[in-house]
Amino acid sequence: MSNIDVTSVLLNEQDGRIPSVNFITLGCAKNEVDSADMQRRLVSAGFAIVDDAEDADVVIVNTCSFIQAAIEESIDVILEVAGLDNIADGSSKLIVAGCMPARFGDDLESELNEASAFVPCSKEDDIVEVVQRTLGVNPAPFARVDVESGPAAAYVKISDGCNRFCSFCSIPYIRGRYHSFPYERIRASVEQCIAEGSVEITLIGQDTGCWGSDFEEKSTTAQLLSNLAEEFPDTWFRIMYVEPDGITDELLDAIAGHDNVCDYLDMPLQHANPELLKSMRRKGSAPEFLKLLERIRTRVPGITLRTTLITGFPGETEEAFDELMEFLEEADFDYVGVFPYSREEGTRAYDLPDQVEEELKVARAQEVRDLCDAVGSVHTADRIGKELDVLVLGAEEDGQLFGRAMCQAPDVDGVVYVDGGEVGEIVRVTIVDTLAYDMEGEIIHG
């Protein structure tokens, strides 16, 4: 979800033709935020953002290279864009941005000569200069265009990079070392999103639980969350991607102590077997995680919990997998995302012994999904008859309005279908029916 509606730029015809840019964003929410930031810079410099690559003077593909499937998708999209008539005949230009240039550098440039420029994550602040150079135009030669309001919900990054170096993960090599963004920068981003119409802000980063730990004057994620919640009391705040060791009592109290902070935590555990976790260069075990879950639920009664897991990591025996399944039955998560292990060159796990066959990885992932869907759908069904606040986000093609409750994170946890309200409005509903993770709510009148 972008912080800028890519269809919302108004061209100022009386000032002549304005060069236009189209964005295609792949991968996670963090890439969406990066694309939105690049769009803002370009709009401020006088460029127009359009939603059709065939109408653009420049097409920017913001790539993902986290796992092999993402790399393949990115390459497919780049080649598809390169085959468009306006790119193929040279009248428009292709720029490749994001994780792939960061990860593969000169190798990518030598292989993809269809692109006119490459912009790694660390250089995305220079996007205006890159586009100007690619098009051969002088700095800021165009009249500034106006941008309409943005979406009702937005992402704001609070940090980038990662210091954990989990053995399966390429993020530290792509994004670099962990660094917290200053509070003033985060606050300004939040304020801008709210000014554009956002009612919910989801705070994201590679490792959100250690925000502020790298400052000269230390701070914490709990302080960040509390400060934002208190300064912007009419805005919902949600924190995602908190590693287990970042879940402090202070953070839980910040969540529990503010009505506009969603009682929701997403904490990636990856597995429950201690030997596998050690091989992943992570900490923990099933008993430790169960104790953590008990502490969370005691501190924040009724909290919604999500995790992500990996199946088929090298060395995952039947016994280790059974331990994971037994843990999940007891852990009782509301939502679980699971991925078969992807063997990535350059990561420490690539050369580990006892690699698991692809079919078995996928089969185990499906077993986890089936179990967790059975558990999660019961949690969803238990909400029938309850009253929830729902932020209205939009409408289906048939006009059916939908939104999201505080117990649903963007893009991953289903939606609530409602029988009224306006986009950007928070309505109070009674849940009358559910299907899997989706709910149906009737507005409470009077």
Side-chain angles (χ1 to χ4, degrees), residues 80-140:
E80 182 180 348
V81 171
L84 296 175
D85 289 344
N86 57 320
I87 301 293
D89 67 13
S91 58
S92 299
K93 304 298 182 182
L94 167 63
I95 294 175
V96 177
C99 296
M100 282 191 67
R103 182 172 179 181
F104 299 111
D106 293 342
D107 291 339
L108 184 68
E109 295 188 30
S110 64
E111 291 294 328
L112 285 175
N113 51 27
E114 295 89 349
S116 298
F118 296 84
V119 185
C121 305
S122 61
K123 299 294 185 182
E124 286 175 351
D125 288 356
D126 301 330
I127 191 62
V128 171
E129 292 78 6
V130 173
V131 172
Q132 289 170 339
R133 186 169 62 249
T134 299
L135 290 178
V137 297
N138 294 321

Side-chain angles (χ1 to χ4, degrees), residues 39-207:
Q39 289 176 36
R40 283 198 178 93
R41 292 176 186 276
L42 289 164
V43 168
S44 295
F47 291 92
I49 308 299
V50 297
D51 61 354
D52 192 336
E54 294 181 308
D55 295 335
D57 296 295
V58 175
V59 179
I60 299 175
V61 181
N62 192 2
T63 58
C64 177
S65 64
F66 180 54
I67 59 175
Q68 187 60 35
I71 294 171
E72 293 171 1
E73 180 188 19
S74 293
I75 292 173
D76 287 345
V77 171
I78 291 167
L79 294 178
E80 182 180 348
V81 171
L84 296 175
D85 289 344
N86 57 320
I87 301 293
D89 67 13
S91 58
S92 299
K93 304 298 182 182
L94 167 63
I95 294 175
V96 177
C99 296
M100 282 191 67
R103 182 172 179 181
F104 299 111
D106 293 342
D107 291 339
L108 184 68
E109 295 188 30
S110 64
E111 291 294 328
L112 285 175
N113 51 27
E114 295 89 349
S116 298
F118 296 84
V119 185
C121 305
S122 61
K123 299 294 185 182
E124 286 175 351
D125 288 356
D126 301 330
I127 191 62
V128 171
E129 292 78 6
V130 173
V131 172
Q132 289 170 339
R133 186 169 62 249
T134 299
L135 290 178
V137 297
N138 294 321
F142 313 109
R144 181 167 178 165
V145 293
D146 296 322
V147 181
E148 294 177 354
S149 61
Y155 293 101
V156 168
K157 279 173 65 174
I158 67 171
S159 64
D160 207 351
C162 185
N163 288 343
R164 292 186 182 271
F165 288 92
C166 297
S167 64
F168 55 82
C169 185
S170 58
I171 289 295
Y173 309 104
I174 296 170
R175 295 274 178 178
R177 290 283 186 170
Y178 177 86
H179 55 281
S180 304
F181 294 164
Y183 177 76
E184 293 75 17
R185 169 177 170 173
I186 296 168
R187 184 199 172 282
S189 295
V190 167
E191 192 170 42
Q192 184 171 16
C193 290
I194 293 171
E196 292 172 359
S198 295
V199 182
E200 179 188 36
I201 304 291
T202 298
L203 304 176
I204 58 172
Q206 265 71 40
D207 190 355

